Amino acid sequence: MKPMQMIMKRLLLILLLVAFRGVYPLDLTEEYQPGEVVRFSLEKKDKTAGTQDVTCLGWQVIENESLYVFQMKSTTRLTQAGRGIDIVITSQAGYLADGRPRDYQYQIDVLGRTVKHRGGFTGKDYFGSTTRFGVDQPFLIPTTGWPILFDSNFGLQWEIVARGFTLEVGDSMILAAMIPQLDTLVNLKVTALPSSKYLYDGKQLPVRVYRIDPVNQLLYIDQQGRLLRAYDTVERNVVRRLSADQVAEISSEPLFDTLFKRLPVYALIFAFGLAWLLVLARRRLMRLDVIALLLLGGILYWPSLKLVTYVALLFERYLASPFSPQAGSYLILFVLALLIALGEELTKFVLIWLRTIIKSVRDSGQAVALGAAVGAGFGLVQAAYLTNFAPDGSILVTADLFQRFFVIGVNAGTGALIGLLLVARKQPLYFLIPLGIKTILGWLFAFVQKGVAGADFYHLTTAVICVATLVTIYLLYRYLPQLRTRALRREKK
């Protein structure tokens, strides 16, 4: 490396470190008083989908150290298939007076399950333990310097951090952020944008605007250092600070009204299923048994969902056990994807197999049509259930429709493969093909969760897997007469 390049690199590093240290020049005791309550609302399409309530508890002694403590609670309502699911997260953060996080703990309650977490910051690492099913799992995450705290109650946490920003318009700096609920340390880039004005409590207030990448946040900070608004430029969600006399209530409405609003999206998803069935079943689309299996495939998604959920919970309990082997997270997620795929494909297999028992199926085209009907029915109900909606009934992320289309295609394709394999009377080993296809599809989402790949990657790979499934069906269909002949010969012997 040339001397000038080395000098510039070191200078850049020094500037970043100076900027990082400059995040904590404040005195929390001057900004927040014991008993003070700060409230935020989470809004989607102008309707309240969640709340964040924070209470300043003041100085408390934690682990023989005096910390300035905040009690926080976030409630978010997710809706699937017209049913609301409330995710409640309570947390407590203990800060040093200059705004550095020192102690952190949270508890998550959802669907009758509880996860507890306790951690501490040292400036060199973040350590502690997470309790699942009564079993403690210790963790130790190295940190470079003192990261900011970033969790589901991020409204106040961003406000505390932003009070220390001294960037000029156009300037940027790098922040390390710890996300305890994901056990992840990430680097964030903060860029100062031109100032603006924001209507708050009936007044137009001047605000500083900051862009946070890659979490797609725009922060609006007033002259008092209060976070008035955080806007997600991708998901189009808004976290809005409430005035002293405001209380946010999560929007709810009758189930029938909710389903009616979503009817256009559900109709589109149903059309996806019919389109794939038309591609695979062709002239047999209007057969009574094909229509019946389409409906039964959709109905049996629900018991299949219960089955795979139960299996996933058992697997999670096993992982929490001190007797479980240590394995990488990707391997664990692969096994979980395999278990879920096994439950789903077993449901399809049983239904198609019962149809072949009731009346013998020898025509390969009919086998494809029957299997595709089960898979399409299963896939379209699954897609409708897993799709997240905005309060007005529109799909929350429009790009998800692209992925839903191909996921339904994969489900229809694996159903068709099962039908062909049953007609060909192939050995059980061959059924690993549809099982493997669904396992890989489910496992790939782990890379999105880990932040290794984006949603676009997952959408594209879903399309590729769908095409590969169709090619496999074509090859098996083409050589099926030879396979059936060999199978019959084996039976005669």
Side-chain angles (χ1 to χ4, degrees):
M1 182 179 292
K2 297 180 180 179
M4 182 59 67
Q5 291 178 322
M6 293 180 64
I7 294 173
M8 293 302 295
K9 184 176 181 180
R10 291 177 181 175
L11 180 59
L12 177 61
L13 178 61
I14 292 172
L15 289 175
L16 289 178
L17 290 176
V18 169
F20 181 79
R21 292 181 61 187
V23 172
Y24 300 109
L26 69 152
D27 184 350
L28 287 182
T29 61
E30 294 181 358
E31 307 294 346
Y32 305 96
Q33 301 301 314
E36 181 179 354
V37 178
V38 180
R39 295 186 176 92
F40 296 90
S41 67
L42 171 62
E43 299 172 358
K44 300 178 181 180
K45 299 290 184 70
D46 298 325
K47 289 192 176 182
T48 302
T51 59
Q52 298 178 16
D53 297 336
V54 185
T55 302
C56 177
L57 301 182
W59 288 108
Q60 292 192 358
V61 177
I62 300 177
E63 300 291 338
N64 298 319
E65 184 176 15
S66 293
L67 301 175
Y68 214 60
V69 178
F70 295 86
Q71 186 74 44
M72 299 173 281
K73 177 181 179 180
S74 71
T75 303
T76 305
R77 177 164 297 171
L78 300 179
T79 54
Q80 292 178 325
R83 183 169 67 102
I85 302 174
D86 286 347
I87 299 178
V88 179
I89 304 178
T90 56
S91 59
Q92 179 175 293
Y95 287 85
L96 299 173
D98 61 2
R100 287 177 295 171
R102 184 73 173 90
D103 181 84
Y104 177 78
Q105 52 190 295
Y106 74 76
Q107 177 173 314
I108 302 178
D109 297 289
V110 59
L111 298 177
R113 302 167 59 202
T114 299
V115 177
K116 294 183 179 180
H117 173 101
R118 179 69 180 271
F121 295 86
T122 66
K124 296 182 179 179
D125 53 43
Y126 179 67
F127 71 96
S129 65
T130 302
T131 303
R132 293 183 176 90
F133 305 109
V135 178
D136 287 336
Q137 297 175 306
F139 60 84
L140 177 64
I141 304 173
T143 62
T144 54
W146 214 295
I148 67 172
L149 178 61
F150 183 25
D151 75 351
S152 61
N153 295 281
F154 66 89
L156 182 90
Q157 292 159 8
W158 270 127
E159 180 173 295
I160 291 175
V161 174
R163 287 183 183 276
F165 289 167
T166 57
L167 297 174
E168 298 294 332
V169 175
D171 290 346
S172 299
M173 68 177 178
I174 304 298
L175 293 178
M178 174 57 64
I179 309 177
Q181 291 158 7
L182 298 178
D183 291 332
T184 301
L185 183 70
V186 298
N187 288 325
L188 303 178
K189 180 182 179 182
V190 182
T191 303
L193 302 181
S195 299
S196 182
K197 288 190 175 182
Y198 179 73
L199 180 63
Y200 175 73
D201 199 18
K203 301 176 182 178
Q204 286 284 352
L205 301 179
V207 292
R208 293 171 289 142
V209 184
Y210 299 96
R211 186 179 70 241
I212 315 295
D213 296 310
V215 294
N216 310 310
Q217 292 288 330
L218 290 178
L219 306 184
Y220 297 80
I221 312 295
D222 71 358
Q223 293 179 332
Q224 299 179 41
R226 300 176 301 179
L227 174 65
L228 302 185
R229 184 175 187 259
Y231 176 63
D232 189 317
T233 58
V234 174
E235 300 292 340
R236 300 179 184 273
N237 300 332
V238 175
V239 171
R240 182 172 61 88
R241 185 190 188 95
L242 303 178
S243 58
D245 58 347
Q246 284 184 302
V247 177
E249 294 185 2
I250 298 178
S251 303
S252 61
E253 60 184 348
L255 175 61
F256 179 80
D257 293 344
T258 300
L259 294 177
F260 182 77
K261 286 183 178 180
R262 300 175 182 178
L263 189 58
V265 176
Y266 287 148
L268 183 58
I269 291 174
F270 184 73
F272 290 166
L274 290 182
W276 283 113
L277 187 55
L278 179 62
V279 169
L280 294 169
R282 293 184 292 180
R283 296 186 303 273
R284 299 172 179 85
L285 178 61
M286 299 309 297
R287 285 177 57 102
L288 183 60
D289 54 355
V290 171
I291 296 174
L293 287 181
L294 175 70
L295 297 176
L296 288 173
I299 293 172
L300 286 184
Y301 169 73
W302 301 107
S304 171
L305 177 64
K306 296 294 183 182
L307 173 64
V308 298
T309 302
Y310 177 72
V311 171
L313 289 174
L314 288 180
F315 183 63
E316 191 173 347
R317 284 179 182 272
Y318 171 69
L319 291 178
S321 168
F323 301 104
S324 65
Q326 298 295 320
S329 58
Y330 287 105
L331 178 59
I332 290 173
L333 290 171
F334 179 83
V335 175
L336 182 60
L338 173 63
L339 293 174
I340 293 174
L342 182 61
E344 293 182 350
E345 298 310 293
L346 183 61
T347 301
K348 299 176 190 175
F349 174 86
V350 170
L351 191 54
I352 300 169
W353 176 75
L354 287 175
R355 167 60 185 83
T356 61
I357 291 297
I358 294 173
K359 187 177 180 180
S360 178
V361 178
R362 294 183 178 276
D363 178 60
S364 57
Q366 184 182 359
V368 169
L370 295 173
V374 173
F378 186 96
L380 67 88
V381 174
Q382 181 187 59
Y385 179 75
L386 296 179
T387 298
N388 289 319
F389 291 87
D392 65 352
S394 63
I395 189 170
L396 200 58
V397 183
T398 306
D400 284 351
L401 283 175
F402 176 85
Q403 193 261 355
R404 297 289 186 268
F405 175 76
F406 286 105
V407 166
I408 295 172
V410 172
N411 275 289
T414 55
L417 283 173
I418 292 172
L420 278 173
L421 293 171
L422 282 171
V423 169
R425 302 179 185 180
K426 298 303 296 180
Q427 297 177 357
L429 187 64
Y430 283 86
F431 289 90
L432 292 179
I433 297 174
L435 177 62
I437 290 173
K438 286 299 296 292
T439 300
I440 293 173
L441 179 63
W443 184 53
L444 284 174
F445 188 64
F447 293 87
V448 180
Q449 291 178 312
K450 290 289 185 179
V452 176
D456 292 341
F457 165 81
Y458 184 55
H459 295 165
L460 180 60
T461 52
T462 301
V464 172
I465 291 173
C466 183
V467 172
T469 303
L470 295 178
V471 172
T472 305
I473 294 171
Y474 170 76
L475 294 175
L476 186 60
Y477 181 84
R478 182 177 178 181
Y479 294 106
L480 183 61
Q482 302 175 30
L483 297 174
R484 272 191 53 204
T485 300
R486 293 172 186 173
L488 290 173
R489 288 175 181 173
R490 287 195 301 268
E491 288 184 359
K492 291 179 180 181
K493 293 179 179 180

